[in-house]
């Protein structure tokens, strides 16, 4: 590290700047890598690193995933799967923005989710989840966890007291999404934390129940679950944080003492974030997150209001709507960096129909029209994109849920999910209006 930068770094007190500004500068002055005259970090493009001596090589291996003992300020880089500068820098920034002690990135959101669960549970342990979750997370629990002998109990945690119906001595993890994918259920994280704390008081630390929150829908701009009591946050970086739909990624943010285990898991299971993707998320995604989120929230609010007032709409779930069941709770939990209510960019709605089958048919007609005619809406899964994306959870992202279990999982057969993009809001409303006129 050059003297010049070290001096500048030491002189600047970033706490007097807004988070919008801080995500642009982030931790770009880092001990992870000496690139003192670059304004933007260069892309590290080496899978392996030169070791000056056998002793240095041995030291590197000895110190890997031993950050408790050796610190992690200036690691000895050995091989990309163990760690390299771009990922390490992105991790510093993600921990910073999510208010966590440390972050470890992964090749995808599912890589991050399976890693944190893999570290926190073993055969014989049990997991409690909210009934509504991203489809592949449900798939992970249904298709793979029975093999590990780890029972998973999905339950309606919009009433936190339901927790007591399934908790037992073997419970080790509560796994949640708030807002949940796709129906935007909001869970009272503070209340769930209180219940878990009371139980943990009676247990040895090694048996403590940990709370994991998938914060993908909110992004850290709208909500920081660790501040609300979560132990760990996971993200699909593919979505709002990546922001442009160009790179996949995932992250686990949490307490420092778990960093080594999670790094070891990543090394051995191998879901390592691509260096170029780490660079793109660090360079484009994170610095523009507040700007993008602010525009998307503004649009989402107007779109939700438009849908709510539309005679053909059966219901609209959007945390920003005063009529929404969880609006008051959302107002407490979804707060941006400046203290404003930040209800996010996701909307879930259905079009009127007397039965689930009718709602499904009319929803499909709407989405087919959008696929064919709408300039500002694209029929595609994913979210947090520059473009507004529309999809049908029951047959796409959540197709793992059998039709007879949709309702219990909080999914309407005809439900439509909108992930608002960066287009002019009037243009999106024009396309929506036209698509609804066809029904
Ligand atoms: C997309 C998504 C994931 C999975 O992320 P990938 O990057 O696609 O693996 C997990 N949770 C939620 C809420 C998601 O929307």
């Amino acid at each position: 590290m050059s003297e010049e930068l070290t001096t500048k770094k030491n002189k600047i007190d970033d706490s007097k700047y807004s988070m919008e500004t801080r995500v642009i500068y982030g931790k770009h002055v880092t001990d992870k890598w000496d690139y003192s005259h670059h304004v933007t970090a260069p892309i590290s493009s080496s899978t392996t690193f030169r070791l000056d001596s056998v002793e240095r090589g041995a030291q590197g291996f000895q110190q890997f995933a031993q950050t408790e003992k050796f610190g992690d300020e200036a690691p000895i880089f050995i091989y990309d799967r163990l760690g390299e500068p771009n990922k390490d820098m992105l991790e510093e920034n993600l921990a910073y923005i999510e208010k966590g002690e440390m972050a470890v990135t992964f090749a995808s959101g599912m890589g991050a989710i399976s890693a944190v669960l893999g570290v926190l549970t073993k055969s014989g342990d049990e997991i409690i989840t909210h009934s509504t979750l991203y489809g592949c997370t449900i798939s992970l629990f249904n298709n793979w966890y029975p093999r590990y002998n780890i029972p998973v109990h999905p339950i309606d945690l919009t009433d936190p007291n339901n927790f007591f119906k399934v908790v037992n001595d073997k419970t080790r993890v509560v796994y949640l999404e708030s807002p949940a994918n796709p129906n935007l259920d909001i869970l009272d994280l503070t209340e769930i934390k209180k219940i878990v704390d009371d139980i943990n008081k009676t247990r040895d630390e090694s048996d403590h129940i940990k709370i994991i929150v998938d914060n993908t829908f909110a992004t850290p701009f709208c909500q920081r679950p660790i501040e609300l009591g979560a132990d760990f946050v996971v993200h699909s970086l593919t979505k709002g944080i990546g922001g442009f739909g160009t790179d996949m990624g995932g992250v686990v943010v949490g307490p420092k003492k778990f960093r080594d285990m999670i790094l070891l898991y990543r090394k051995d299971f191998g879901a390592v974030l691509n260096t170029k993707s780490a660079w793109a998320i660090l360079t484009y995604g994170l610095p523009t997150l507040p700007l993008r989120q602010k525009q998307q929230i503004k649009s989402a609010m107007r779109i939700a209001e438009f849908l709510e007032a539309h005679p053909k709409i059966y219901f609209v779930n959007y945390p920003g709507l005063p009529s929404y069941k969880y609006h008051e709770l959302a107002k407490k939990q979804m707060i941006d960096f400046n203290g404003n209510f930040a209800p996010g960019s996701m909307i879930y709605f259905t079009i009127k129909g007397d039965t689930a089958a009718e709602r499904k048919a009319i929803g499909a007609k709407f989405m087919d029209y959008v696929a064919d005619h709408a300039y500002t809406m694209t029929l595609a899964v994913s979210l947090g994109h520059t473009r507004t994306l529309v999809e049908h959870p029951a047959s796409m992202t959540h197709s793992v849920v059998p039709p007879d279990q949709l309702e219990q999982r909080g999914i309407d057969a005809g439900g439509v999910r909108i992930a608002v993009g960066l287009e002019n809001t009037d243009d999106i409303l024009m396309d929506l209006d036209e698509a609804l006129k066809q029904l």
Side-chain angles (χ1 to χ4, degrees), residues 135-425:
C136 294
T137 308
I138 294 177
S139 172
L140 175 72
F141 288 140
N142 287 0
N143 290 323
W144 302 99
Y145 275 60
R147 292 191 183 203
Y148 307 148
N149 184 30
I150 300 175
V152 180
H153 307 281
I155 190 152
D156 178 9
L157 287 173
T158 59
D159 177 357
N161 286 317
N162 285 336
F163 190 82
F164 294 110
K165 292 184 185 162
V166 282
V167 70
N168 64 37
D169 289 350
K170 296 174 186 159
T171 309
R172 290 293 176 274
V173 165
V174 191
Y175 185 90
L176 312 167
E177 294 174 8
S178 180
N181 185 353
N183 68 357
L184 305 166
D185 271 355
I186 308 276
L187 307 176
D188 191 333
L189 299 179
T190 318
E191 195 54 38
I192 292 169
K193 166 74 170 165
K194 252 191 238 156
I195 291 172
V196 168
D197 272 353
D198 275 349
I199 295 170
N200 283 345
K201 261 187 234 152
T202 65
R203 295 180 171 203
D204 290 345
E205 202 186 326
S206 59
D207 295 341
H208 276 189
I209 301 169
K210 302 285 188 208
I211 303 170
I212 307 173
V213 176
D214 180 338
N215 200 30
T216 300
F217 263 32
T219 81
F221 178 77
C222 298
Q223 174 176 271
R224 274 85 45 215
I226 290 173
E227 288 184 327
L228 298 165
D231 296 291
F232 293 88
V233 161
V234 292
H235 276 284
S236 167
L237 299 174
T238 317
K239 315 291 173 53
I241 293 179
F244 295 86
T246 58
D247 293 273
M248 299 207 80
V251 69
V252 177
V253 184
K256 210 161 195 160
K257 69 173 182 185
F258 287 91
R259 182 159 195 266
D260 292 338
M261 275 289 273
I262 296 173
L263 279 175
L264 192 65
Y265 189 100
R266 182 177 73 177
K267 171 177 80 74
D268 295 341
F269 285 80
V272 177
L273 180 64
N274 176 302
T275 306
K276 283 116 188 151
S277 298
W279 178 86
I281 296 164
L282 181 70
T283 306
Y284 304 123
L286 267 185
T288 59
L289 176 69
L291 200 59
R292 289 184 285 108
Q293 280 291 312
K294 277 189 242 181
Q295 172 63 25
Q296 289 172 345
I297 291 168
K298 253 203 319 214
S299 284
M301 193 65 217
R302 281 188 60 203
I303 293 166
E305 281 167 355
F306 167 83
L307 289 170
E308 186 178 39
H310 198 286
K312 288 183 182 161
I313 299 300
Y314 181 48
F315 71 77
V316 190
N317 290 356
Y318 180 64
L321 285 178
S323 61
Y324 186 45
K325 189 156 55 154
Y326 304 113
H327 178 69
E328 287 307 316
L329 180 57
K331 279 206 296 194
K332 279 194 242 162
Q333 298 191 155
M334 302 185 76
I335 307 285
D336 74 14
F337 296 143
N338 305 314
N340 304 307
F341 180 38
S345 59
M346 302 299 296
I347 301 168
Y348 184 67
F349 73 96
T350 60
I351 299 160
K352 276 182 189 160
D354 289 338
T355 62
E358 276 179 41
R359 288 196 296 276
K360 186 176 170 189
I362 197 162
K365 194 173 167 196
F366 165 82
M367 284 178 275
D368 282 340
Y369 186 85
V370 163
D372 250 9
H373 297 88
Y375 184 61
T376 66
M377 288 184 283
T378 305
L379 183 64
V381 300
S382 202
L383 53 125
H385 203 285
T386 51
R387 300 182 183 206
T388 296
L389 306 179
V390 171
E391 70 113 5
H392 180 226
S395 69
M396 297 174 185
T397 49
H398 293 70
S399 54
V400 65
V401 179
D404 63 340
Q405 288 174 27
L406 282 173
E407 198 183 327
Q408 182 195 332
R409 288 286 191 172
I411 299 161
D412 192 282
V416 179
R417 193 185 80 180
I418 300 189
V420 178
L422 297 176
E423 304 89 344
N424 179 301
T425 317

Side-chain angles (χ1 to χ4, degrees), residues 47-68:
T47 54
T48 190
F49 294 80
R50 185 171 55 79
L51 301 162
D52 307 308
S53 63
V54 170
E55 192 193 345
R56 182 177 156 89
Q59 241 179 14
F61 277 96
Q62 212 177 47
Q63 293 179 11
F64 170 73
Q66 294 287 334
T67 54
E68 284 286 276

